[in-house]
Amino acid sequence: MTTIQGPAIFLAQFLGDQPPFDNLESICRWAKGLGYEGVQIPTWDTKYFDVQKAAESKTYADEIKGIVEGQGLKITELSSHLHGQLVAVNPAYDTLFDGFAPEQYRNNPKARTEWAVQQLKNAAKASQNLGLTAHGTFSGGLLWHTVYPWPQRPAGLVEAGFKELANRWTPILNTFDEAGVDVCYEIHPGEDLHDGVSYEMFLEAVNNHSRACLLYDPSHFVLQAMDYVSYIDHYHERIRMFHVKDAEFNPTGKQGVYGGYQSWVNRAGRFRSLGDGQVDFGAVFSKLTAYDFKGWAVLEWECALKHPEDGAREGAMFIQDHIIRVTEKAFDDFAASGVDEAKNRTILGL
């Protein structure tokens, strides 16, 4: 077994215009001061990190790595969630998702998709240049608007949707394979890959591609009333990344999983700061450790109530307290009687 690495923090929710959140060096200094050992860097804000430059220039990648390591941290992974979302967008969501792309690609779905695909391929090479082996993203969604089967889905619709999704992702997966990097899909409502069954459908469509892996985040399963612990039993061989994020689901006689179009504060299911929700992280860390998860425990802070800086400060210690330092010996070694083949045969009655 391996001791999970961490604590680390996903920077996306903390980027901003005011110090210490306005540049990579200062936000890393802030994170280190809270007790974090690693940072997960988003690829969509060039003020902090230019993914194209990192793909094209090993020198630039080394400079970025030097900035992070200069503050006593490691880069855990890159994240291209917004780009992954744009790989597959149903026209019903074009206007909403256009904001994820630069101005010149808006109102032009084909150009927007091509740009997003290239950004992901850049992320593969950038990860390689940084010495990383895993990358987090979303799958995008062509079918999400049909997640509830009313009106009735036409025969073959789901199969056609996953075939197209696989056609778009297979060249990206191949690029990541060439770079020696796993693509870790965050299983997430709004994406075609939103639970275990939909992930398996995608995996079949991409011929069980070795790089089609998983980013495990239990919070999204809490909000779907799923068993987030046994999920690890099913998919531990594909889990390469871990977002430590809490959530709570409190259905009432008025609303449940769908949330009744309410704000995050008023939804039955909502994300919470670590320790304020319902995720049994003792069970989660134990399960991942038992399956020899070798990656990082990365805080993804999202909470409808608590201030982000408080969530980040509390999160570092929370993760540290849950990381299990694995044992190097069995607890009952003191009673070991050694190896004696003859004795073993006697015990067996042979």
Side-chain angles (χ1 to χ4, degrees):
M1 295 183 295
T2 305
T3 299
I4 294 173
Q5 300 179 82
I9 185 170
F10 185 27
L11 296 179
Q13 285 82 4
F14 299 95
L15 307 182
D17 296 327
Q18 299 299 317
F21 309 109
D22 57 344
N23 67 78
L24 183 60
E25 183 175 8
S26 63
I27 199 172
C28 285
R29 187 181 305 117
W30 166 80
K32 183 64 177 180
L34 295 178
Y36 290 100
E37 299 297 327
V39 290
Q40 188 176 101
I41 300 178
T43 59
W44 52 82
D45 193 330
T46 56
K47 183 171 72 172
Y48 301 85
F49 177 77
D50 189 319
V51 69
Q52 182 175 344
K53 285 181 66 176
E56 297 173 350
S57 169
K58 182 67 164 60
T59 299
Y60 174 78
D62 288 342
E63 290 172 357
I64 291 293
K65 193 173 180 180
I67 290 171
V68 175
E69 292 181 351
Q71 298 306 316
L73 299 169
K74 293 182 179 180
I75 301 173
T76 65
E77 306 97 0
L78 301 179
S79 153
S80 64
H81 286 71
L82 302 192
H83 302 137
Q85 183 71 66
L86 297 182
V87 170
V89 177
N90 185 280
Y93 296 95
D94 272 338
T95 301
L96 292 170
F97 283 135
D98 253 357
F100 289 1
E103 189 81 34
Q104 63 266 34
Y105 301 112
R106 296 174 188 173
N107 300 311
N108 188 339
K110 184 175 184 295
R112 184 188 63 202
T113 299
E114 290 173 351
W115 171 80
V117 168
Q118 184 57 54
Q119 292 298 93
L120 278 154
K121 291 181 177 179
N122 288 340
K125 184 61 178 177
S127 295
Q128 182 183 40
N129 284 342
L130 289 165
L132 305 175
T133 59
H135 180 80
T137 194
F138 282 149
S139 69
L142 299 173
L143 288 163
W144 179 252
H145 66 300
T146 71
V147 68
Y148 194 85
W150 181 257
Q152 185 184 66
R153 300 188 197 103
L157 177 69
V158 172
E159 292 78 6
F162 275 96
K163 181 179 180 180
E164 177 60 25
L165 193 66
N167 288 342
R168 298 187 187 195
W169 273 104
T170 296
I172 301 170
L173 289 166
N174 290 341
T175 299
F176 273 89
D177 190 38
E178 292 167 5
V181 180
D182 292 322
V183 177
C184 301
Y185 295 102
E186 182 168 353
I187 305 303
H188 189 290
E191 313 302 316
D192 283 344
L193 276 59
H194 57 272
D195 59 13
V197 173
S198 55
Y199 170 66
E200 290 178 10
M201 295 174 71
F202 176 74
L203 202 56
E204 181 180 2
V206 294
N207 297 313
N208 292 303
H209 200 294
S210 63
R211 297 298 178 179
C213 295
L214 292 167
L215 187 166
Y216 175 70
D217 182 336
S219 68
H220 301 302
F221 305 139
V222 170
L223 301 194
Q224 296 183 69
M226 286 175 59
D227 185 339
Y228 56 85
V229 178
S230 68
Y231 176 96
I232 301 172
D233 292 321
H234 291 294
Y235 303 113
H236 62 92
E237 293 180 350
R238 291 276 182 168
I239 294 173
R240 299 288 188 273
M241 292 175 62
F242 175 24
H243 272 176
V244 189
K245 186 166 71 172
D246 213 342
E248 61 184 352
F249 181 54
N250 300 303
T252 69
K254 291 188 175 183
Q255 60 158 300
V257 170
Y258 300 110
Y261 297 109
Q262 297 304 294
S263 67
W264 278 111
V265 171
N266 296 316
R267 290 175 64 90
R270 57 188 185 179
F271 300 122
R272 298 300 309 276
S273 287
L274 293 185
D276 294 343
Q278 297 169 344
V279 175
D280 183 350
F281 282 106
V284 168
F285 275 83
S286 294
K287 186 76 74 172
L288 287 171
T289 300
Y291 280 123
D292 199 26
F293 173 69
K294 299 182 184 302
W296 286 82
V298 181
L299 169 72
E300 182 184 20
W301 177 86
E302 290 181 354
C303 184
L305 301 176
K306 185 170 286 184
H307 193 282
E309 292 181 44
D310 292 338
R313 174 176 48 80
E314 296 169 2
M317 184 59 68
F318 185 94
I319 294 173
Q320 186 62 61
D321 287 346
H322 280 80
I323 290 175
I324 299 168
R325 181 186 175 194
V326 300
T327 182
E328 297 173 352
K329 61 180 182 179
F331 65 86
D332 55 356
D333 277 352
F334 72 93
S337 57
V339 178
D340 186 328
E341 185 176 348
K343 182 186 290 185
N344 289 342
R345 291 181 64 81
T346 299
I347 293 171
L348 293 171
L350 302 176

